Amino acid sequence: MITLKILFVIPYFYPAEFFGGPVKVAFDLCRELVKRDHEVVVYTSDAKNLNSRIDTMHNQIDGIHVHYFRNMSMFLVRQSKLFVTPSLSKTMASELKSFDVVHVHEYTTFQNIVVHKFAEKYGIPYVLQAHGSLPHIGRRFRNAIRRFFWLQALRTLQRL
């Protein structure tokens, strides 16, 4: 059997169960892959819920290596569900080429922009699991959030 080194990238991860289904789905997938002798690493934010952070930057949970990157703003998490983790970019630049495949979660996230940039650069395949991440709110408000997100993401990527 071939053993893969798999990177999961998700805006929030266990123990951030406050954020619901994507946390459980990603955690269960990671545990199953570890059971099948794959090396699984998770890059995520340090958000535990809308008001608090996870107090460790690295953890091993059920054989899963989890790296929590500091959110730039918990205010953005509370107001717009934006998880901006600038230090992720430097880690991706140096570490992404060591993975066989990347599994990204959610859709419009800072983390996915960074993954796309470096996965394309290094030729690393990735899978996107959206989890129904498009909000069920008015089109104007949703588009305003997206425009804000993309402007901030582009500014961040220009600094890389």
Side-chain angles (χ1 to χ4, degrees), residues 11 56 63 99 107 141:
T56 183
F99 291 95
Y107 179 64
F141 184 65

Side-chain angles (χ1 to χ4, degrees), residues 1-8 25-42 62-64 101-103 105 129:
M1 178 159 85
I2 298 173
T3 299
L4 297 174
K5 186 172 181 183
I6 305 167
L7 174 63
F8 274 66
V25 168
F27 187 53
D28 289 347
L29 282 170
C30 289
R31 285 192 305 187
E32 186 59 36
L33 289 165
V34 166
K35 284 181 191 174
R36 295 175 185 221
D37 292 326
H38 297 292
E39 183 179 348
V40 179
V41 177
V42 175
D62 293 347
I64 306 160
V101 66
V102 182
H103 188 156
H105 295 262
Q129 188 167 354

